[in-house]
Amino acid sequence: MWSSVGLSVINVVWSSLALCFLVAFCAHKVSRLLPGIFDTCPAYVLFQDLIRYGKTKQSLKRDEWLRVFDVPKRWFWHFYAVSVGWNGLLLVLYLSFIFQHQSYPLWLSDFLDILTGAHSSDSQVPQLSTVLVQLLLWVHSLRRLLECLFVSVFSDGAMHLVQYMFGLGYYIMLGLTILCCDRMEKERSSLLSQLDWLLVAGFLLFIWASWLQHQSMVLLARLRTGKSGTVETLTHRVPKGGWFELVSCPHYFAELLIYISLSFVFRGLSFTWWLVVLYVLFNQALAGQLCHDLYISKYKSYPRHRRAFIPFVL
């Protein structure tokens, strides 16, 4: 039986985000079938400005006033720095709850009450899945932070200020969502007895998906660096090698797999986390489709068998 099923604030938030990105994805696909019709429409240009970033934004014809809201794409590392700090704090607070039986700070407990509609006394048993998901999210954020700082080679690409603010709030909400899943979990067994094959499978999938994403980021970086590792160019080139032979954006596919793996760590029982996975699916599908469309339009010899981000599917 799924836990956390119901009309709670946290479920409404993630289902709304998933729906918004699904609509955005469908709207973009429709606009591709009607080229030139909406290009001069201010609402369409604003829509494209809000969903695009980096290389996919550079070809967008925008008024100068829209460029006022641009911030550097290289600021992506801010998202992961916030996540490392914030989700590290939440992990420490949860470990204190487990081993020292310390309650959450009042501000955090009250906020979780609002998000879940469940009082803290409804679930007092520590969850192994919660600890592991928190730890894996922190590891994921730390890896992405290090990749942004020491692996990726950013050009002068930009993202919208709204995207930047959303990214900062995203990882804050993500950490709170894990605690919401814990708050609504009804498992009453001890920590060790909660260990099962699905949790282990989720952990192994997380390791593999993280490796896939890291390999993809390294291959992207090598498009701009020489054998010595020094940056030689900031131009965009056709990615090759690894899973780039199957999809245009394997790092987006790996991101989706990482979130699915965390759902397995929750033993597939958290309805709330499946809503998060649904949001990530539509979010990455949109980003992947934008990159895929750019590659096809820019490079005449681009391999036509490649999909956008899910091999053989999308």
Side-chain angles (χ1 to χ4, degrees):
M1 179 67 69
W2 276 357
S3 63
S4 61
V5 177
L7 187 63
S8 61
V9 173
I10 193 65
N11 286 352
V12 170
V13 168
W14 286 113
S15 57
S16 299
L17 286 174
L19 180 60
C20 286
F21 277 89
L22 173 60
V23 171
F25 176 76
C26 293
H28 172 70
K29 293 287 285 186
V30 170
S31 69
R32 293 286 298 175
L33 300 176
L34 303 170
I37 295 181
F38 303 107
D39 288 355
T40 59
C41 175
Y44 172 79
V45 174
L46 178 60
F47 166 71
Q48 292 292 332
D49 193 35
L50 288 172
I51 66 173
R52 295 174 179 266
Y53 58 87
K55 58 181 175 289
T56 64
K57 186 186 285 282
Q58 293 176 348
S59 60
L60 182 64
K61 297 179 180 179
R62 301 180 290 160
D63 294 333
E64 285 301 317
W65 71 270
L66 286 174
R67 301 181 186 274
V68 174
F69 300 99
D70 286 356
V71 297
K73 184 193 172 186
R74 65 175 62 94
W75 284 7
F76 255 62
W77 72 268
H78 295 181
F79 306 153
Y80 304 114
V82 168
S83 182
V84 168
W86 170 252
N87 290 304
L89 171 63
L90 295 184
L91 175 59
V92 169
L93 291 175
Y94 195 76
L95 291 175
S96 297
F97 163 66
I98 292 177
F99 297 109
Q100 299 181 1
H101 305 290
Q102 292 184 359
S103 300
Y104 294 145
L106 185 59
W107 60 268
L108 178 58
S109 183
D110 288 345
F111 196 49
L112 292 176
D113 287 348
I114 294 173
L115 291 175
T116 64
H119 192 268
S120 57
S121 61
D122 292 342
S123 178
Q124 296 293 332
V125 177
Q127 303 297 317
L128 179 61
S129 57
T130 301
V131 178
L132 189 54
V133 170
Q134 283 184 308
L135 180 60
L136 294 180
L137 176 61
W138 186 86
V139 170
H140 170 66
S141 301
L142 179 61
R143 177 181 60 81
R144 290 295 293 122
L145 174 61
L146 295 176
E147 287 173 347
C148 285
L149 294 177
F150 303 111
V151 176
S152 297
V153 180
F154 292 100
S155 63
D156 294 327
M159 57 180 164
H160 200 283
L161 180 61
V162 171
Q163 293 173 315
Y164 177 72
M165 298 304 296
F166 178 84
L168 292 177
Y170 171 77
Y171 284 98
I172 294 176
M173 181 58 69
L174 202 59
L176 292 172
T177 300
I178 296 173
L179 294 183
C180 287
C181 294
D182 176 80
R183 178 69 63 89
M184 294 183 284
E185 176 61 57
K186 301 304 181 183
E187 177 67 54
R188 292 295 184 230
S189 57
S190 63
L191 282 176
L192 290 179
S193 63
Q194 295 173 25
L195 183 65
D196 59 21
W197 69 269
L198 197 55
L199 189 148
V200 174
F203 176 77
L204 295 177
L205 177 59
F206 174 87
I207 297 299
W208 182 81
S210 297
W211 171 84
L212 173 61
Q213 189 171 62
H214 177 71
Q215 180 199 47
S216 302
M217 302 308 296
V218 170
L219 290 174
L220 284 175
R222 287 177 180 171
L223 294 175
R224 294 177 171 177
T225 59
K227 294 182 179 180
S228 63
T230 58
V231 178
E232 294 183 345
T233 180
L234 294 180
T235 59
H236 298 104
R237 298 173 177 174
V238 177
K240 297 179 181 180
W243 280 54
F244 281 107
E245 300 303 324
L246 295 175
V247 293
S248 296
C249 303
H251 46 308
Y252 294 160
F253 178 56
E255 185 81 1
L256 175 62
L257 291 180
I258 286 171
Y259 281 82
I260 291 176
S261 74
L262 297 182
S263 192
F264 287 167
V265 173
F266 275 128
R267 290 170 296 171
L269 298 177
S270 176
F271 177 76
T272 298
W273 195 260
W274 280 115
L275 291 178
V276 176
V277 172
L278 199 62
Y279 155 76
V280 173
L281 169 63
F282 296 140
N283 175 278
Q284 299 298 284
L286 176 60
Q289 190 65 54
L290 290 170
C291 288
H292 187 65
D293 293 343
L294 175 66
Y295 288 145
I296 290 177
S297 63
K298 187 174 182 178
Y299 306 107
K300 300 303 180 183
S301 61
Y302 192 75
R304 298 295 169 172
H305 69 274
R306 292 188 189 180
R307 297 294 185 176
F309 95 110
I310 299 180
F312 313 111
V313 178
L314 179 63

